[in-house]
């Protein structure tokens, strides 16, 4: 991956085994820029949550929270403690950016950020997941050897060089959403310009381009442009002759995404972090600050501790290569079942319109009431709940616990869930007669999810959701008690 003009490659023999090249030194400049840019993005993230009072709204004031399977034990703190977690995260981001108490700052940044990420599954975004992974990697990478407070205070630990693997693993991490995002787009819906047509039509009020966003040809053009971009951008970035063209294309792509979609820091983060594909010494060349004549390229000697760190990184890489592919072992379309959808870089692949009603039945009295779910969860939680059978099951347990606290000893929770995927005719996702308390959350396949049978339509289904049950002949449960 390194270019011939980089220090790490000047003395490298073409036949050098790749595993030895992992330890060959390269200029630290691009990794230092990556460290500072990522810390700035994290600080921006903290600022958004604090300035817009999202910490209070999503964590403190919200009485209920969605959880990830296996991490149900991670819960938000009460009162002002969540605010303090974000302040601590911000201080840690400053520490990483300045290279001040770097290792401690990187650990604190990873722990605080990942804690907030896991504490509310309703906030899931692929780039939030990516930020957690990058924060973890920076713990292992000695990105503070140069242009840092630590390097100034302890000059004997300073260096203008860093092992190749540090830069390469960051390149790998930046490549993941591009490559896996492209692979995920190789499905029937995307190849028929769905759901891009939905997403862009919501921005029809934009000046100049707005009227074009409602036209079908624009959906086709953007669908295939996005597919080609995701599949080709990493190879183009790796090849020196096309790198500048690829970076400009990536910048324009992310600027367009920032204009069309509400994905906060992600476009700007990718514009900054994709610079890791340029030569390792590009910041030095840009600033016209060549290495001091006294600096020499160090040897590639390694210690047992360094090899242990690289072993952790290797395990990390293998997991990141394999885990996003797990949806292939599940039957059905993951955009419908959501099995294997999260943490797999499956971005912008589904538009789900949903009709959903929850019902609680007091078994002893034989009374049934509708659960006012829209008054119990906030908008982001509802958005995640209605598309995910797993979250529906998890939330049913929450409703059952609330019913028991209200004095109902034996309760059954059922749901009528009608879903229109990418403009299809709506169909049931769950058997309305199924007591959701009889099924468990699991990594395995959930056979109770009704398979997708409706084909993609030439014209999207356009009936208001409140009319779906009558239109489809679905009879809602009789409500015998009101809230």
């Amino acid at each position: 991956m390194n270019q011939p003009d980089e220090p790490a490659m000047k003395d490298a023999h073409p036949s050098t085994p790749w595993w030895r090249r992992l330890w060959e030194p390269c200029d630290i400049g691009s990794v230092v820029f990556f460290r500072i840019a990522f810390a700035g993005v994290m600080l921006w993230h903290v600022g958004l949550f604090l300035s817009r009072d999202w910490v209070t709204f999503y964590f403190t004031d919200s009485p209920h929270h969605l959880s990830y399977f296996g991490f149900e034990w991670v819960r938000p703190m009460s009162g002002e403690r969540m605010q303090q977690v974000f302040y601590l995260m911000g201080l840690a981001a400053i520490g990483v950016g300045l290279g001040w108490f770097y290792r401690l700052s990187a650990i604190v940044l990873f722990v605080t950020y990942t804690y907030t990420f896991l504490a509310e599954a309703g906030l899931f975004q692929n780039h939030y997941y990516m930020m957690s992974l990058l924060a973890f990697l920076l713990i292992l990478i000695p990105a503070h050897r140069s242009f840092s407070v630590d390097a100034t205070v302890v000059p004997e630990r300073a260096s203008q060089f860093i092992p190749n693997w540090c830069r390469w693993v960051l390149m790998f991490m930046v490549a993941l959403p591009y490559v896996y995002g492209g692979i995920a787009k190789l499905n029937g819906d995307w190849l028929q310009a769905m759901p891009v047509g939905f997403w862009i039509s919501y921005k029809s009020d934009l000046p100049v381009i707005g009227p074009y966003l409602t036209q079908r040809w624009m959906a086709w053009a953007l669908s295939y442009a996005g597919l080609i971009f995701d599949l080709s951008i990493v190879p183009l970035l790796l090849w020196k002759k096309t790198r500048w063209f690829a970076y400009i294309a990536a910048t324009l792509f992310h600027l367009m995404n920032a204009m069309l979609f509400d994905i906060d820091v992600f476009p700007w983060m990718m514009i900054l972090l994709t610079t890791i594909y340029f030569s390792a010494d590009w910041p030095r060349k840009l600033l016209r600050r060549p290495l001091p004549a006294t600096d020499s390229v160090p040897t590639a000697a390694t210690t047992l501790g360094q090899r242990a760190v690289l072993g952790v990184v290797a395990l990390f890489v293998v997991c990141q290569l394999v885990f996003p592919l797990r949806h292939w072992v599940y039957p059905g379309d993951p955009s419908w079942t959501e099995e294997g959808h999260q943490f797999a870089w499956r971005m912008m692949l589904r538009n789900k319109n949903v009709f959903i009603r929850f019902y609680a039945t007091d078994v002893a009295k034989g009374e049934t009431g509708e659960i006012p779910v829209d008054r119990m969860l906030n908008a982001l939680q509802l958005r995640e709940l209605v598309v995910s059978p797993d979250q529906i099951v998890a939330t049913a347990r929450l409703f059952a616990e609330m019913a028991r606290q209200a004095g109902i000893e034996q309760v059954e929770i059922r749901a009528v869930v009608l879903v229109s995927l990418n403009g299809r005719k709506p169909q049931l996702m769950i058997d309305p007669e199924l007591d959701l308390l009889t099924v468990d959350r699991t990594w395995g396949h959930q056979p109770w999810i009704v398979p997708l049978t409706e084909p993609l339509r030439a014209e999207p289904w356009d009936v208001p959701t409140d009319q779906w049950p009558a239109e489809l002949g679905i009879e809602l449960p009789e409500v015998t008690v009101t809230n």
Side-chain angles (χ1 to χ4, degrees):
M1 293 182 184
N2 287 29
Q3 300 303 314
D5 57 342
E6 296 173 5
M9 292 299 296
K10 286 182 178 178
D11 299 322
H13 192 277
S15 62
T16 302
W18 68 268
W19 54 271
R20 287 187 181 275
R21 292 183 59 198
L22 292 171
W23 290 105
E24 289 176 354
C26 67
D27 193 297
I28 198 174
S30 62
V31 174
V32 167
F33 179 83
F34 193 101
R35 182 199 86 208
I36 296 171
F38 179 70
V41 168
M42 294 295 287
L43 196 59
W44 183 8
H45 171 81
V46 171
L48 285 176
F49 270 74
L50 291 174
S51 64
R52 298 183 181 182
D53 208 25
W54 288 350
V55 179
T56 300
F57 182 76
Y58 292 124
F59 294 104
T60 306
D61 288 351
S62 184
H64 310 296
H65 298 278
L66 304 186
S67 62
Y68 298 100
F69 176 67
F71 292 93
E72 294 88 350
W73 52 275
V74 182
R75 311 298 296 172
M77 296 181 185
S78 58
E80 296 182 354
R81 292 182 179 178
M82 284 303 293
Q83 296 268 0
Q84 294 167 356
V85 169
F86 274 84
Y87 283 124
L88 182 59
M89 190 193 310
L91 288 175
I94 293 173
V96 169
L98 295 177
W100 183 41
F101 293 104
Y102 172 77
R103 294 291 189 186
L104 176 61
S105 296
I107 292 171
V108 172
L109 181 62
F110 169 70
V111 171
T112 53
Y113 177 81
T114 304
Y115 164 66
T116 61
F117 173 75
L118 295 175
E120 177 52 77
L123 287 169
F124 176 81
Q125 296 279 357
N126 280 280
H127 63 276
Y128 287 170
Y129 173 52
M130 182 179 183
M131 289 160 69
S132 176
L133 298 178
L134 287 171
F136 171 75
L137 286 177
L138 286 182
I139 297 174
L140 306 176
I141 295 173
H144 62 310
R145 289 182 179 178
S146 179
F147 205 73
S148 69
V149 175
D150 290 352
T152 302
V153 174
V154 190
E156 59 269 23
R157 296 185 180 179
S159 175
Q160 300 300 324
F161 300 95
I162 200 167
N164 271 331
W165 70 260
C166 300
R167 179 166 165 260
W168 290 356
V169 74
L170 294 177
M171 295 169 73
F172 167 79
M173 196 61 237
V174 171
L176 278 180
Y178 290 130
V179 175
Y180 280 103
I183 293 172
K185 290 179 174 66
L186 295 171
N187 69 75
D189 284 20
W190 189 274
L191 296 177
Q192 296 185 63
M194 283 292 182
V196 175
F198 287 109
W199 301 125
I200 62 175
S201 66
Y202 300 149
K203 296 293 183 176
S204 59
D205 58 341
L206 288 174
V208 183
I209 68 170
Y212 298 101
L213 298 179
T214 60
Q215 298 183 24
R216 187 63 179 151
W217 68 265
M218 180 63 79
W220 282 88
L222 292 181
S223 293
Y224 279 84
L227 172 64
I228 294 170
F229 172 84
D230 280 344
L231 292 178
S232 64
I233 191 65
V234 173
L236 292 175
L237 285 166
L238 288 171
W239 191 23
K240 188 175 182 180
K241 292 183 178 180
T242 56
R243 187 170 297 148
W244 266 111
F245 164 77
Y247 184 73
I248 292 171
T251 299
L252 294 175
F253 173 81
H254 291 300
L255 289 175
M256 182 183 69
N257 281 343
M259 178 176 62
L260 293 178
F261 310 116
D262 184 18
I263 41 181
D264 56 72
V265 302
F266 179 64
W268 316 103
M269 179 177 76
M270 292 302 287
I271 290 172
L272 291 171
L273 301 191
T274 301
T275 58
I276 195 66
Y277 282 89
F278 287 105
S279 62
D281 60 345
W282 75 261
R284 200 178 306 281
K285 291 179 177 178
L286 181 66
L287 299 174
R288 297 183 178 180
R289 295 182 60 182
L291 285 172
T294 56
D295 284 7
S296 59
V297 179
T299 62
T302 61
T303 66
L304 180 61
Q306 290 172 325
R307 290 173 182 168
V309 168
L310 189 56
V312 173
V313 172
L315 180 61
F316 172 89
V317 168
V318 171
C319 289
Q320 294 307 315
L321 287 173
V322 175
F323 194 61
L325 303 177
R326 70 192 188 281
H327 63 86
W328 286 354
V329 304
Y330 293 113
D333 185 343
S335 292
W336 173 258
T337 66
E338 301 290 315
E339 294 179 324
H341 179 86
Q342 284 189 330
F343 312 112
W345 316 108
R346 295 178 53 81
M347 297 169 286
M348 310 295 288
L349 296 180
R350 81 257 198 273
N351 182 81
K352 285 182 174 178
N353 289 330
V354 182
F355 173 94
I356 186 169
R357 298 288 187 275
F358 283 92
Y359 299 91
T361 299
D362 184 334
V363 176
K365 296 182 179 180
E367 296 177 340
T368 297
E370 182 179 338
I371 301 172
V373 62
D374 57 333
R375 300 205 304 264
M376 302 167 70
L377 301 175
N378 62 46
L380 278 182
Q381 291 171 330
L382 284 171
R383 184 185 67 181
E384 185 65 25
L385 167 69
V386 298
V387 303
S388 172
D390 173 70
Q391 291 294 351
I392 289 174
V393 168
T395 307
R397 278 165 168 66
L398 167 67
F399 296 153
E401 181 61 29
M402 295 173 64
R404 294 186 185 103
Q405 292 175 0
I408 303 176
E409 294 297 329
Q410 289 183 288
V411 63
E412 295 176 347
I413 307 293
R414 294 179 173 82
V416 176
V417 186
L418 294 167
V419 181
S420 169
L421 173 64
N422 293 340
R424 289 174 170 83
K425 181 180 178 180
Q427 71 165 76
L428 287 168
M429 176 178 279
I430 300 172
D431 183 351
E433 298 300 319
L434 174 68
D435 178 7
L436 295 171
L437 302 182
T438 63
V439 297
D440 296 318
R441 303 179 80 181
T442 175
W443 281 114
H445 171 57
Q446 298 280 21
W448 47 267
I449 300 175
V450 177
L452 177 65
T453 57
E454 290 293 337
L456 198 63
R457 297 167 58 91
E459 292 295 328
W461 179 266
D462 193 26
V463 176
T465 54
D466 60 351
Q467 299 177 23
W468 286 5
E471 186 78 16
L472 301 173
I474 304 295
E475 186 175 348
L476 300 179
E478 181 181 358
V479 175
T480 57
V481 60
T482 57
N483 296 300

